[in-house]
Tab-separated table of all heavy atoms in Angstrom:
chain	number	residue	atom	x	y	z
A	43	MET	N	98.393	126.056	136.579
A	43	MET	CA	97.688	125.727	135.371
A	43	MET	C	96.616	124.712	135.660
A	43	MET	O	96.800	123.677	136.293
A	43	MET	CB	98.629	125.178	134.298
A	43	MET	CG	97.984	124.892	132.968
A	43	MET	SD	99.219	124.350	131.684
A	43	MET	CE	99.710	122.759	132.321
A	44	HIS	N	95.413	124.946	135.173
A	44	HIS	CA	94.277	124.062	135.312
A	44	HIS	C	94.594	122.706	134.668
A	44	HIS	O	95.208	122.631	133.639
A	44	HIS	CB	93.005	124.685	134.685
A	44	HIS	CG	91.731	123.995	135.137
A	44	HIS	ND1	91.305	122.827	134.545
A	44	HIS	CD2	90.865	124.325	136.102
A	44	HIS	CE1	90.174	122.475	135.083
A	44	HIS	NE2	89.865	123.339	136.002
A	45	HIS	N	94.137	121.593	135.325
A	45	HIS	CA	94.515	120.283	134.829
A	45	HIS	C	93.848	120.001	133.404
A	45	HIS	O	94.285	119.101	132.751
A	45	HIS	CB	94.061	119.213	135.826
A	45	HIS	CG	92.607	119.020	135.954
A	45	HIS	ND1	91.770	119.862	136.697
A	45	HIS	CD2	91.769	118.083	135.416
A	45	HIS	CE1	90.554	119.452	136.622
A	45	HIS	NE2	90.486	118.375	135.880
A	46	ARG	N	92.806	120.756	133.064
A	46	ARG	CA	92.198	120.550	131.764
A	46	ARG	C	92.747	121.487	130.658
A	46	ARG	O	92.338	121.360	129.545
A	46	ARG	CB	90.700	120.741	131.898
A	46	ARG	CG	90.007	119.732	132.811
A	46	ARG	CD	88.507	119.953	132.887
A	46	ARG	NE	87.870	119.746	131.617
A	46	ARG	CZ	86.607	119.976	131.383
A	46	ARG	NH1	85.805	120.454	132.370
A	46	ARG	NH2	86.061	119.788	130.185
A	47	ALA	N	93.642	122.330	131.052
A	47	ALA	CA	94.238	123.249	130.108
A	47	ALA	C	94.863	122.624	128.890
A	47	ALA	O	94.639	123.089	127.723
A	47	ALA	CB	95.271	124.213	130.759
A	48	PRO	N	95.661	121.544	128.988
A	48	PRO	CA	96.252	120.922	127.831
A	48	PRO	C	95.160	120.459	126.812
A	48	PRO	O	95.287	120.662	125.608
A	48	PRO	CB	97.060	119.741	128.401
A	48	PRO	CG	97.365	120.185	129.731
A	48	PRO	CD	96.198	120.888	130.248
A	49	ALA	N	94.146	119.795	127.306
A	49	ALA	CA	93.031	119.313	126.460
A	49	ALA	C	92.317	120.414	125.795
A	49	ALA	O	91.960	120.349	124.577
A	49	ALA	CB	92.134	118.360	127.232
A	50	ILE	N	92.026	121.493	126.552
A	50	ILE	CA	91.280	122.607	125.966
A	50	ILE	C	92.141	123.360	124.896
A	50	ILE	O	91.589	123.625	123.838
A	50	ILE	CB	90.896	123.582	127.137
A	50	ILE	CG1	89.864	122.945	128.067
A	50	ILE	CG2	90.341	124.878	126.508
A	50	ILE	CD1	89.596	123.771	129.296
A	51	ALA	N	93.376	123.566	125.229
A	51	ALA	CA	94.240	124.292	124.253
A	51	ALA	C	94.390	123.417	123.005
A	51	ALA	O	94.346	123.945	121.857
A	51	ALA	CB	95.581	124.567	124.858
A	52	GLY	N	94.680	122.129	123.140
A	52	GLY	CA	94.826	121.260	122.008
A	52	GLY	C	93.545	121.151	121.158
A	52	GLY	O	93.562	121.206	119.949
A	53	THR	N	92.392	121.099	121.803
A	53	THR	CA	91.124	120.962	121.040
A	53	THR	C	90.891	122.249	120.254
A	53	THR	O	90.535	122.200	119.076
A	53	THR	CB	89.996	120.722	122.010
A	53	THR	OG1	90.209	119.493	122.721
A	53	THR	CG2	88.673	120.647	121.253
A	54	ILE	N	91.097	123.408	120.871
A	54	ILE	CA	90.818	124.698	120.206
A	54	ILE	C	91.721	124.791	118.969
A	54	ILE	O	91.245	125.165	117.852
A	54	ILE	CB	91.006	125.861	121.173
A	54	ILE	CG1	89.888	125.877	122.221
A	54	ILE	CG2	91.041	127.189	120.390
A	54	ILE	CD1	90.155	126.912	123.308
A	55	LEU	N	93.039	124.587	119.170
A	55	LEU	CA	93.953	124.764	118.056
A	55	LEU	C	93.701	123.652	116.935
A	55	LEU	O	93.787	123.997	115.764
A	55	LEU	CB	95.381	124.644	118.484
A	55	LEU	CG	96.022	125.949	119.059
A	55	LEU	CD1	97.461	125.740	119.327
A	55	LEU	CD2	95.853	127.115	118.114
A	56	GLY	N	93.380	122.466	117.356
A	56	GLY	CA	93.148	121.389	116.397
A	56	GLY	C	91.883	121.635	115.550
A	56	GLY	O	91.945	121.514	114.355
A	57	VAL	N	90.843	122.059	116.201
A	57	VAL	CA	89.640	122.360	115.481
A	57	VAL	C	89.798	123.559	114.573
A	57	VAL	O	89.331	123.560	113.367
A	57	VAL	CB	88.429	122.597	116.448
A	57	VAL	CG1	87.152	123.118	115.753
A	57	VAL	CG2	88.060	121.309	117.199
A	145	VAL	N	98.194	118.893	115.166
A	145	VAL	CA	98.275	120.158	115.892
A	145	VAL	C	97.663	120.040	117.293
A	145	VAL	O	98.313	120.465	118.321
A	145	VAL	CB	97.579	121.296	115.096
A	145	VAL	CG1	97.477	122.566	115.948
A	145	VAL	CG2	98.313	121.529	113.811
A	146	GLY	N	96.489	119.413	117.410
A	146	GLY	CA	95.831	119.374	118.665
A	146	GLY	C	96.543	118.463	119.683
A	146	GLY	O	96.725	118.873	120.817
A	147	VAL	N	96.911	117.275	119.254
A	147	VAL	CA	97.557	116.309	120.176
A	147	VAL	C	98.932	116.839	120.596
A	147	VAL	O	99.354	116.810	121.749
A	147	VAL	CB	97.694	114.941	119.518
A	147	VAL	CG1	98.549	114.018	120.333
A	147	VAL	CG2	96.319	114.357	119.285
A	149	THR	N	99.990	119.993	120.669
A	149	THR	CA	99.824	121.155	121.490
A	149	THR	C	99.486	120.705	122.913
A	149	THR	O	100.055	121.202	123.890
A	149	THR	CB	98.682	122.044	120.977
A	149	THR	OG1	98.968	122.542	119.714
A	149	THR	CG2	98.403	123.192	121.914
A	150	ALA	N	98.569	119.757	123.052
A	150	ALA	CA	98.142	119.274	124.406
A	150	ALA	C	99.348	118.654	125.155
A	150	ALA	O	99.547	118.935	126.321
A	150	ALA	CB	96.991	118.271	124.234
A	151	ALA	N	100.157	117.861	124.422
A	151	ALA	CA	101.313	117.185	125.037
A	151	ALA	C	102.339	118.236	125.465
A	151	ALA	O	102.937	118.108	126.517
A	151	ALA	CB	101.909	116.188	124.058
A	152	LEU	N	102.556	119.265	124.607
A	152	LEU	CA	103.545	120.257	124.941
A	152	LEU	C	103.103	121.182	126.024
A	152	LEU	O	103.926	121.699	126.824
A	152	LEU	CB	103.984	121.010	123.658
A	152	LEU	CG	104.698	120.139	122.634
A	152	LEU	CD1	104.961	120.998	121.416
A	152	LEU	CD2	105.930	119.546	123.166
A	153	VAL	N	101.803	121.544	126.062
A	153	VAL	CA	101.276	122.302	127.173
A	153	VAL	C	101.452	121.550	128.483
A	153	VAL	O	101.896	122.181	129.514
A	153	VAL	CB	99.806	122.595	126.958
A	153	VAL	CG1	99.177	123.200	128.264
A	153	VAL	CG2	99.618	123.617	125.827
A	154	GLN	N	101.239	120.327	128.462
A	154	GLN	CA	101.367	119.528	129.679
A	154	GLN	C	102.847	119.439	130.100
A	154	GLN	O	103.154	119.451	131.334
A	154	GLN	CB	100.870	118.066	129.492
A	154	GLN	CG	100.754	117.256	130.716
A	154	GLN	CD	100.008	115.947	130.460
A	154	GLN	OE1	100.048	115.388	129.398
A	154	GLN	NE2	99.330	115.478	131.472
A	158	LEU	N	101.471	126.306	129.301
A	158	LEU	CA	100.467	126.780	128.352
A	158	LEU	C	101.082	127.682	127.252
A	158	LEU	O	100.792	127.496	126.047
A	158	LEU	CB	99.371	127.563	129.081
A	158	LEU	CG	98.181	127.999	128.255
A	158	LEU	CD1	97.474	126.848	127.629
A	158	LEU	CD2	97.245	128.873	129.090
Side-chain angles (χ1 to χ4, degrees):
M43 183 175 67
H44 194 278
H45 71 280
R46 297 180 63 185
I50 293 172
T53 300
I54 291 173
L55 276 186
V57 171
V145 172
V147 172
T149 298
L152 294 179
V153 167
Q154 189 170 31
L158 184 62

